[in-house]
Amino acid sequence: MPIELTGYRGWEGKQRSSWRAVWAIVRTGVLMILRRWVFWLLIGLGLLNFIFNFAFIYLKATLTVQDEGFARFLDQYQVTGTGEAYTEFMRAQATITALLLAFAGASLIGADYRQGGMIYYLSRRIERRHYIVGKLLTVATVVTLITTVPALALYVQYGVLSNSLDYFLDNPRILVGILGYGAVLALVQSLLLFAVAAWVHRAVPLVMCWLGIFVLLEALGAAAREINDNRRWLLLGIWRDMHRIGEWCFGAREPERIPTGPQCAAVLAGVCIVCLIVIIRRVRAVEIVR
Amino acid sequence: MSLIDLQNVTHYYGTHCALQGVTVSLAPGAIGLIGQNGAGKSTLLKILLGLVRPSQGTGAVLGRDIRGSGSELRGRVGYMPEAESFVPGLRGVDLVSLAGELSGMPRKQALRRAHEVLSYLGLEEARYRRSEEYSVGMKQRLKLATAMVHDPDLLLLDEPTAGLDPDGRDSMLALLASLATRHGKSLMLSTHLLGDIDRVCSQVVIVDRGQVRGVGRISELRSEYRGRYRLRWSGVAASFLDSLRSVGVNVDVNGRPDEALAEVPDGWPARRFFELANGSALTLREVHPLEEDLEAVYHRLIQA
């Protein structure tokens, strides 16, 4: 329709707090991932693991009633409703998430640097802190949707399918563990991804950096430990550190095991602080008006 | 109330002074911002958007303190950057709607308003296409849509016709002029194309090396040049030129026998040329008052 024939109408609503815009950033980011079929391959892998566990728990609950011996046989597998079982499930899910984020980081954050998304966001009413929080929450939401939410669903399913609801009363620590481990995974991965993608904007270099952080550092730590016979070198493995904190959230107490939980927590805290500094500096460096 | 009111605004980047003692008071309307690269235009835009606080000086945009909350300022100001500024993968309508939400609009209202603005800008049929699939002209309009989705009182436009073909440029300028004149929007147009400013804007700010060299209505800046005429004649002009000089007119014949540029004193009526010509042996064929175009105004003020 020609411009002359269309009218311009004003808007006179009340503007909301800039923090509400954070939700819009999160929603847009998550939908961006869900729209691409490539990512659905990895999401599907995560779903497959979840469905397998879901079916296993259901099968076990059914067979426990019919044949307790067979149920004990099934207990050999890790779907036992214990903290360890959830830790392992979440670890597997987190591996899938890490792969997904390695590929999604370039479009979620890197593209904002390459294709003017930063100018788009930061020339609006929001401040840079809202943008940073929005992007971190986007990654955290993806991680939570693939790790914490399925684990919670399995926890509820296990409890509901047990003979009584005592499972929930007897195992409150599992709930704390799922939420705690999920929070650690979400926090560390979101900060790491943002920091790396803020430096390396394109997909392939980002995947290589991401793998370097999670695989190469772990391998280096293991090799250094072999050479120096000092288990503290294992702290280099960020993945291992997160898992250790996850185990602690689920109530595992192994004070003599090196590296210790506090050591792992200190390393992760350090990594998070460095990432946060990098993120703030990289976002601050963006020139909105050139 | 002034649209933009700056008092002695100075801004430093480290030791480099990007803006020095800028004092302007601009009424609502379409304003052109002219200056060479590095003149301080971008810094001025940043200050008007609340993205940086000036090192010194005070001021207000739309009655809001420029040293106050930048986000509050951007809630009433829309910015259309020169560079591409899109979120890849989003459809036009989603992009505009998201811009509305980022500007503080509720989601449903932002979506409805996105449809309205895209229709107004002639992108109705392309709104469900991804921004990457838009042509250059459509991208410019899309950027304008994201800048005006929250109905700002002031639009800051950075090179809005950059990369457009003549038709696209024409259409964009018509659109901007319509926004300013028919819909009462205030615009600040930063561009190197003085013709664009001449066509859309009524006021201009000329910046050079961090200082404002000229500010005000374009018509008033041009009027500073009034009192110059081009004269053409046939016949012998010596006595005519002498009589002009004797009454205080500066005459520049510039080597041509039948033409001269005359700079007259204040209050000079044009008919005096004919009166003086009557007493000479020549026929005055043309008395043409000269008027500066914006480019000439710009060069005159910069050189001054």
Side-chain angles (χ1 to χ4, degrees):
Chain A
M1 191 185 290
I3 290 158
E4 307 81 63
L5 300 180
T6 56
Y8 179 84
R9 289 201 296 169
W11 178 75
E12 291 183 348
K14 192 172 179 291
Q15 286 178 325
R16 304 189 304 177
S17 157
S18 295
W19 286 108
R20 299 285 287 270
V22 168
W23 163 237
I25 298 174
V26 174
R27 194 189 62 233
T28 306
V30 173
L31 288 177
M32 200 185 288
I33 290 178
L34 295 182
R35 274 197 200 111
R36 296 184 67 173
W37 67 267
V38 178
F39 298 142
W40 271 105
L41 291 178
L42 290 163
I43 294 170
L45 209 61
L47 273 174
L48 209 64
N49 188 28
F50 168 70
I51 290 167
F52 170 75
N53 280 273
F54 191 91
F56 211 92
I57 290 171
Y58 181 78
L59 193 69
K60 193 179 160 191
T62 313
L63 290 175
T64 305
V65 178
Q66 295 170 0
D67 185 350
E68 286 193 14
F70 193 69
R72 275 196 296 278
F73 166 74
L74 289 178
D75 273 347
Q76 292 176 76
Y77 300 95
Q78 289 236 316
V79 192
T80 53
T82 59
E84 294 84 48
Y86 290 108
T87 316
E88 287 311 315
F89 171 75
M90 288 181 77
R91 188 179 194 170
Q93 293 293 95
T95 310
I96 294 163
T97 316
L99 279 171
L100 173 69
L101 292 179
F103 293 101
S107 30
L108 268 183
I109 296 152
D112 283 354
Y113 281 88
R114 278 186 290 122
Q115 288 166 287
M118 294 288 278
I119 300 172
Y120 171 86
Y121 282 111
L122 299 178
S123 61
R124 315 287 157 204
R125 191 159 165 259
I126 60 167
E127 302 280 358
R128 289 169 202 250
R129 62 176 179 272
H130 300 116
Y131 171 80
I132 293 173
V133 171
K135 286 294 174 179
L136 290 176
L137 279 177
T138 306
V139 181
T141 304
V142 173
V143 175
T144 304
L145 283 174
I146 298 178
T147 56
T148 312
V149 171
L152 279 175
L154 292 181
Y155 174 69
V156 170
Q157 186 206 12
Y158 205 96
V160 168
L161 292 182
S162 61
N163 291 334
S164 69
L165 295 182
D166 289 346
Y167 177 77
F168 295 120
L169 298 172
D170 295 341
N171 298 291
R173 185 76 198 196
I174 289 178
L175 185 62
V176 174
I178 292 171
L179 295 176
Y181 190 19
V184 169
L185 287 170
L187 180 74
V188 175
Q189 289 196 86
S190 57
L191 283 167
L192 260 175
L193 184 73
F194 197 153
V196 174
W199 276 106
V200 188
H201 309 151
R202 294 191 178 277
V204 174
L206 200 149
V207 170
M208 289 168 75
C209 286
W210 195 243
L211 289 176
I213 289 169
F214 284 117
V215 180
L216 191 67
L217 274 181
E218 185 123 2
L220 277 176
R225 178 223 162 182
E226 289 293 325
I227 295 163
N228 297 316
D229 196 24
N230 186 345
R231 285 185 63 85
R232 285 201 180 86
W233 280 105
L234 294 177
L235 285 168
L236 275 177
I238 292 172
W239 202 247
R240 192 193 304 267
D241 295 338
M242 286 196 288
H243 188 60
R244 186 90 169 88
I245 299 296
E247 286 175 333
W248 179 82
C249 290
F250 276 101
R253 293 282 179 272
E254 295 171 287
E256 68 285 352
R257 187 173 147 199
I258 294 174
T260 62
Q263 284 171 341
C264 294
V267 168
L268 291 181
V271 168
C272 289
I273 289 167
V274 170
C275 287
L276 204 56
I277 292 168
V278 169
I279 290 166
I280 291 169
R281 289 175 69 97
R282 292 295 295 165
V283 174
R284 241 189 225 164
V286 174
E287 285 280 359
I288 299 164
V289 182
R290 291 172 183 168
Chain B
M1 186 183 74
S2 290
L3 177 77
I4 297 168
D5 193 8
L6 302 179
Q7 297 297 323
N8 203 25
V9 167
T10 299
H11 190 70
Y12 289 94
Y13 292 112
T15 55
H16 171 69
C17 183
L19 277 183
Q20 191 178 10
V22 171
T23 299
V24 293
S25 180
L26 296 160
I31 304 154
L33 178 61
I34 317 173
Q36 294 169 333
N37 292 333
K41 296 192 303 290
S42 299
T43 306
L44 187 57
L45 288 178
K46 282 179 195 171
I47 289 171
L48 297 179
L49 273 168
L51 294 170
V52 296
R53 286 187 187 183
S55 310
Q56 291 166 26
T58 56
V61 178
L62 298 160
R64 288 169 172 82
D65 189 358
I66 54 168
R67 303 185 78 88
S69 165
S71 63
E72 192 193 340
L73 204 56
R74 287 193 296 282
R76 299 312 314 154
V77 177
Y79 174 59
M80 177 186 167
E82 181 187 0
E84 279 212 359
S85 57
F86 302 117
V87 179
L90 286 193
R91 301 175 306 172
V93 68
D94 296 330
L95 199 74
V96 179
S97 167
L98 177 62
E101 284 189 79
L102 295 174
S103 301
M105 298 174 80
R107 189 181 174 194
K108 280 185 183 171
Q109 291 184 39
L111 187 60
R112 192 172 61 210
R113 174 98 183 134
H115 283 285
E116 284 176 13
V117 171
L118 287 170
S119 298
Y120 175 70
L121 295 178
L123 292 174
E124 198 174 14
E125 288 169 14
R127 61 189 153 174
Y128 294 113
R129 278 158 59 181
R130 288 182 177 189
S131 57
E132 299 94 296
E133 296 165 12
Y134 280 38
S135 67
V136 177
M138 290 161 85
K139 279 183 178 172
Q140 291 295 86
R141 281 168 185 250
L142 189 60
K143 277 196 283 182
L144 181 59
T146 59
M148 59 191 282
V149 63
H150 60 298
D151 191 30
D153 298 317
L154 169 64
L155 278 165
L156 300 180
L157 312 164
D158 201 351
E159 301 283 1
T161 56
L164 296 183
D165 59 32
D167 286 344
R169 177 172 171 250
D170 207 45
S171 167
M172 175 60 88
L173 292 177
L175 181 61
L176 296 179
S178 157
L179 276 172
T181 54
R182 289 172 59 188
H183 304 299
K185 291 283 157 206
S186 291
L187 317 170
M188 181 173 259
L189 196 69
S190 170
T191 178
H192 292 105
L193 302 170
L194 302 184
D196 289 3
I197 289 179
D198 223 1
R199 190 164 149 191
V200 175
C201 302
S202 56
Q203 301 172 77
V204 71
V205 180
I206 297 174
V207 192
D208 180 49
R209 279 169 281 176
Q211 291 183 316
V212 171
R213 300 287 181 184
V215 59
R217 299 207 161 271
I218 296 174
S219 56
E220 286 169 8
L221 290 173
R222 278 181 174 153
S223 72
E224 290 172 10
Y225 193 70
R226 274 183 198 151
R228 291 174 187 226
Y229 293 86
R230 186 172 65 230
L231 308 176
R232 280 198 180 137
W233 61 80
S234 57
V236 181
S239 64
F240 172 65
L241 296 177
D242 287 343
S243 55
L244 280 176
R245 288 185 182 115
S246 68
V247 291
V249 176
N250 286 325
V251 183
D252 180 6
V253 290
N254 204 18
R256 295 193 60 169
D258 61 346
E259 186 180 313
L261 293 177
E263 193 176 339
V264 300
D266 286 343
W268 176 274
R271 67 171 186 280
R272 289 267 343 245
F273 287 119
F274 295 97
E275 290 167 5
L276 291 170
N278 273 339
S280 313
L282 90 168
T283 307
L284 208 48
R285 295 196 179 280
E286 184 182 325
V287 176
H288 183 76
L290 294 178
E291 197 176 51
E292 281 182 314
D293 59 8
L294 190 57
E295 193 171 339
V297 172
Y298 170 73
H299 287 302
R300 175 165 57 81
L301 290 171
I302 292 293
Q303 281 157 14

